[in-house]
C-alpha cells in the first residue's frame, strides 16, 4: 500500500471535511491584493491571513500536479525538487509528485544558492518547483540549473528564467493518473549532513513512508476529531512524519507561519488544536512569557489541547517539569529519529512514561534499538565488513555502558544516493543503522543520549556544522586557528561559540569577528567569540571534548547566575 492511498481514502470518505489550514497571524488578508494573480486561492475577507482546503480539493490538486509531471515527460523514479516555505500547496505538490511515480526531493529553505545547486545535482533533480522567497537565489544559478532541467515558479510575477507552476497544473486533469505504486517503489530523497556540512542524499521507499505514518498514529493515537498544529518546516522529515498521523486518521492539520508564543496559543485556541509539536526554544518562549505575565492562559481556549510533544534535540527535564505546572493535564512525548530513519519515531518516550523524562525512550512501533561498541571515524577497517558494501556487525554493549545507538526497522533508508562509501559506514547487511549518537540503556530498557559522536551543533532544532564556520573564519587574515563548539543555552538548547586563536594578540576585536561573519547566513553566525588557544592532539585534530569541558560548564554556570 502506498502512502497516497490514505489521501484518496480521505477524499472519498471525508470530501468536505477540512484537511489543511494555513494561518499567518502577522499578515492581514487586506495585504494580499495581488493574491489572484498567483493562481492560488484567495484568503478570507477579513482578519488574519487564513486559508483552508478540504480533503477532496487536496486530492484533486495532487492529481493535477501528478498529471502535469507526467505531461512534461517525468518518468517513474525521476526526481522532482520542492523549494517552498510552508504553505497550503506544499503537501498537495509533494503527494502529486508521489502519485506520478516520481521521487519527491524536499530542499531546506535555508540553503544558499550554491547549496541548492549542489543538492539538485547530487540528487539528479529533473524539475525544481520553487517559491518567490527563493527567486534571487535561483536566479544566481538559473543558467546552470536550466541545463536539462525544468524550473517551475509558484507565485505571482513569474521570473523570465522559469515557468509558472499554477498555470501549468491548471491545464491538467484532477483525476488520479493510472500509476500503480507499491512499498518497494522509490518515494523520496531527504538531505542530511555530517560534521563537514556537505549534504548526503538519503533515498527512501514508499514502504518507509507508510511505516512512518503508522508509527506516528500508533504512538499518539490520532483520531478523526484531533487537530494537529504544525509549525516546523515541511521539508524536514520530522514535521511531515508527525503530520502523517493526521493523514492516517483523516484529521485536520494547521500550518502556522510564525513561532511567537502568543501566536501559538492563539492559533491553538482559535483552531481547536488538540496536538501540538514544539521545539525546545518555542516551548521555552511560551513558559517565559507565562512567567513574566505577558500571556495569560485564561485568555485562550485550550481545554482541547491534549498532547504536547517535542523532538529534534535533547529536551531538558526541567522544561517539562515547568510545562506541567502550567499544563498539568497534557500528555507529553519526546521523539528521537533522524532523516536516515525517516524522521521521529524509531525511539520515543511514550505518553505513559512521563516519569522517565530525560530518556529518549524505547524502540518505537515496529522498531528495534540497541547500543553497540563505537569506533573513531578513522578506524574504518573496524566498521566495514570484508565485502566493503556494508558496515560490519558490532558487539552490543551491556546495559549502563555508553556506546553508539543503532536502530533497525521498516523505515531505514535504502542508501545514501550515489555514495556507497558513506552507506557502507553506517548500514549493516541485516539492516542496522549506526546513528552516530552516543547512548546508554538503563535496567528498564530506556535509552538515554549521552553525547553526539559527530560535532553537529543543534540550535533551536537546526543543525549547525562547525567545519563550515571554521573554514569561513580561517579566511580572516588575523586568525591563526579556530574551533567552533556548542555551548548550552536555556532557550535554544545550544548556541555556537568560536574559539579564536589570533596570529598576534589584540590584532582584532570581538566586534571585528562578528562583522566578518555578517557574510554568513544568520543561523550560521557564531553567537559567542572566545579568544584563546585552540588545542590540537598529536595527529592534528582539534580537541573539542576538552574545549567543551573548559567552556561548557563555565558558560552554563555564568548563564544560571545571570538569571538568578
Amino acid at each position: 500500500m502506498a502512502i497516497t492511498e490514505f489521501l484518496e481514502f480521505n477524499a472519498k470518505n471525508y470530501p468536505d471535511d477540512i484537511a489543511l489550514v494555513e494561518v499567518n497571524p502577522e499578515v492581514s488578508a487586506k495585504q494580499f491584493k495581488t493574491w489572484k494573480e498567483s493562481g492560488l486561492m484567495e484568503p478570507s475577507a477579513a482578519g488574519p491571513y487564513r486559508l483552508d482546503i478540504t480533503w477532496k480539493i487536496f486530492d484533486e490538486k495532487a492529481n493535477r500536479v501528478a498529471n502535469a509531471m507526467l505531461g512534461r515527460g517525468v518518468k517513474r523514479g525521476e526526481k522532482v525538487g520542492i523549494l517552498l516555505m510552508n504553505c497550503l500547496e506544499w503537501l498537495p505538490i509533494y503527494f502529486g509528485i508521489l502519485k506520478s511515480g516520481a521521487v519527491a526531493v524536499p530542499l531546506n529553505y535555508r540553503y544558499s544558492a550554491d547549496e541548492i545547486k549542489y543538492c539538485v545535482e547530487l540528487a539528479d533533480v529533473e524539475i525544481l518547483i520553487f517559491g518567490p522567497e527563493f527567486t534571487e537565489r535561483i536566479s544566481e544559478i538559473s543558467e546552470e540549473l536550466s541545463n536539462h532541467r525544468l524550473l517551475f515558479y509558484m507565485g505571482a510575477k513569474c521570473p523570465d528564467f522559469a515557468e509558472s507552476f499554477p498555470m501549468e497544473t491548471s491545464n491538467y486533469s484532477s483525476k488520479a493518473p493510472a500509476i500503480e505504486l507499491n512499498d518497494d517503489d522509490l518515494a523520496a530523497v531527504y538531505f542530511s549532513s555530517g560534521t563537514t556540512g556537505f549534504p548526503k542524499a538519503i533515498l527512501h521507499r514508499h514502504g518507509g513512508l507508510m511505516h512512518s505514518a503508522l508509527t506516528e498514529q500508533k504512538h499518539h493515537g490520532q483520531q478523526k476529531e484531533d487537530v494537529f498544529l504544525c509549525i516546523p518546516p515541511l521539508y524536514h522529515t520530522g514535521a511531515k512524519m508527525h503530520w502523517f498521523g493526521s493523514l492516517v486518521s483523516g484529521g485536520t492539520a494547521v500550518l502556522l507561519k510564525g513561532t511567537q508564543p502568543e501566536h501559538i496559543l492563539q492559533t491553538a485556541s482559535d483552531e481547536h488544536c488538540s496536538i501540538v509539536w514544539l521545539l525546545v526554544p518555542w516551548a521555552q518562549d511560551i513558559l517565559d512569557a507565562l512567567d513574566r505575565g505577558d500571556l495569560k492562559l485564561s485568555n485562550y481556549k485550550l481545554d482541547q489541547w491534549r498532547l504536547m510533544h517535542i523532538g529534534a534535540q535533547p529536551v531538558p527535564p526541567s522544561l517539562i517539569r515547568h510545562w506541567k505546572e502550567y499544563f498539568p493535564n497534557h500528555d507529553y512525548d519526546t521523539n528521537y529519529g533522524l532523516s536516515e530513519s525517516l524522521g521521529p519515531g524509531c525511539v520515543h518516550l511514550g505518553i505513559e512514561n512521563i516519569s522517565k523524562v530525560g530518556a529518549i525512550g524505547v524502540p518505537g512501533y515496529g522498531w528495534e534499538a540497541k547500543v553497540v561498541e563505537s569506533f573513531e571515524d578513522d578506524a574504518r577497517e573496524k566498521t566495514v565488513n570484508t565485502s566493503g558494501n556494508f558496515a560490519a556487525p558490532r558487539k552490543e554493549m551491556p546495559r549502563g555502558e555508553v556506546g553508539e545507538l543503532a536502530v533497525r526497522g521498516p523505515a531505514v533508508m535504502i542508501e545514501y544516493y550515489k555514495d556507497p562509501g558513506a552507506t557502507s559506514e553506517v548500514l549493516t547487511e541485516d539492516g542496522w543503522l549506526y546513528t552516530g549518537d552516543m547512548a546508554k540503556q538503563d535496567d528498564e530498557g530506556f535509552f538515554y543520549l549521552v553525547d553526539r559522536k559527530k560535532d553537529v551543533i543543534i540550535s533551536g532544532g537546526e543543525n549547525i556544522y562547525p567545519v563550515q564556520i571554521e573554514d569561513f573564519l580561517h579566511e580572516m587574515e588575523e586568525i591563526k586557528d579556530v574551533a567552533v563548539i556548542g555551548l548550552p543555552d536555556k532557550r535554544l538548547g545550544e548556541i555556537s561559540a568560536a574559539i579564536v586563536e589570533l596570529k598576534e594578540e589584540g590584532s582584532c576585536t570581538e566586534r571585528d569577528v562578528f562583522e566578518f561573519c555578517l557574510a554568513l547566513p544568520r543561523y550560521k553566525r557564531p553567537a559567542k567569540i572566545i579568544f584563546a588557544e585552540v588545542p590540537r592532539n598529536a595527529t592534528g585534530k582539534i580537541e573539542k571534548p576538552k574545549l567543551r569541558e573548559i567552556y561548557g560548564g563555565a558558560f552554563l554556570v555564568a548563564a544560571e547566575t545571570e538569571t538568578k
Side-chain angles (χ1 to χ4, degrees), residues 310-481:
I310 293 182
Q313 64 189 113
V315 183
S318 59
L319 184 150
I320 303 307
R321 289 193 296 269
H322 195 179
W323 187 270
K324 293 289 282 184
E325 292 173 5
Y326 283 107
F327 302 97
N329 297 320
H330 277 189
D331 283 332
Y332 165 73
D333 194 11
T334 187
N335 305 273
Y336 169 87
L338 54 165
S339 296
E340 288 86 344
S341 67
L342 262 181
C346 59
V347 178
H348 85 123
L349 184 64
I351 59 177
E352 69 279 9
N353 296 316
I354 188 80
S355 63
K356 301 290 286 190
V357 166
I360 56 170
V362 294
Y365 172 75
W367 285 91
E368 301 172 77
K370 61 183 178 180
V371 176
V372 299
E373 58 186 342
S374 177
F375 301 106
E376 293 294 327
D377 290 340
D378 55 3
R380 192 169 184 274
E381 69 277 2
K382 295 182 180 179
T383 62
V384 180
N385 68 17
T386 53
S387 71
N389 297 321
F390 296 97
R394 300 188 200 167
K395 181 180 69 177
E396 187 169 357
M397 304 296 288
R399 290 193 176 186
E401 293 192 20
V402 174
E404 185 170 349
L405 181 65
V407 297
R408 180 167 66 176
V412 165
M413 68 177 184
I414 301 171
E415 64 181 0
Y416 289 123
Y417 185 61
K418 297 197 300 189
D419 196 342
T423 304
S424 70
E425 293 178 9
V426 301
L427 198 60
T428 69
E429 192 166 7
D430 57 353
W432 285 98
L433 173 70
Y434 298 141
T435 66
D437 286 319
M438 305 302 287
K440 63 181 179 180
Q441 190 178 20
D442 69 13
D443 291 338
E444 297 179 272
F446 286 81
F447 292 91
Y448 292 76
L449 288 186
V450 176
D451 199 355
R452 287 186 297 278
K453 185 177 177 181
K454 302 170 184 177
D455 288 327
V456 177
I457 299 166
I458 303 179
S459 183
E462 287 286 344
N463 285 0
I464 297 173
Y465 303 99
V467 170
Q468 288 184 332
I469 306 172
E470 289 163 1
D471 288 345
F472 176 82
L473 283 172
H474 272 295
E475 297 297 320
M476 193 170 181
E477 187 176 343
E478 296 84 356
I479 291 177
K480 175 183 177 183
D481 206 356

Side-chain angles (χ1 to χ4, degrees), residues 232-249:
L234 288 167
Y235 72 75
H236 195 275
T237 53
K240 194 178 308 84
M241 303 317 154
H242 283 312
W243 171 76
F244 274 171
S246 299
L247 176 70
V248 172
S249 62

